[in-house]
Amino acid sequence: MPIYEYTCQDCQITFETIRSIREADAPITCEQCQGNNVKRRISLFNASSGGRAIAGGPSCSSCASGACSTCGSH
Ligand SMILES: [Zn+2]
């Protein structure tokens, strides 16, 4: 499931929550002040689906040498 980041407009904290896509825009309360003035930030959609876009490098040690049968990304 994707990880979503939310920022509380009242206390300016940012917290992460793993939710289903369907729940992404559902109301959420700030985990610090329990307020409702929370905005969703840009989600980290692909954080757990390979990771190649995040680091820009190989997603596993085998990838460094080209074809990779471990993660199947080539
Ligand atoms: Zn808050």
Side-chain angles (χ1 to χ4, degrees):
M1 273 195 275
I3 300 170
Y4 296 99
E5 279 193 345
Y6 297 86
T7 300
C8 176
Q9 305 296 297
D10 291 332
C11 51
Q12 302 297 315
I13 65 157
T14 298
F15 54 96
E16 295 177 352
T17 302
I18 298 175
R19 315 178 92 183
S20 68
I21 293 171
R22 199 173 42 201
E23 293 175 306
D25 290 315
I28 187 169
T29 54
C30 171
E31 58 183 27
Q32 181 164 290
C33 69
Q34 306 300 311
N36 295 315
N37 200 8
V38 176
K39 281 191 174 177
R40 181 160 64 93
R41 303 182 68 196
I42 297 171
S43 61
L44 307 172
F45 255 99
N46 295 315
S48 61
S49 62
R52 286 168 58 82
I54 293 177
S59 54
C60 73
S61 57
S62 305
C63 291
S65 58
C68 178
S69 58
T70 304
C71 68
S73 63
H74 292 286

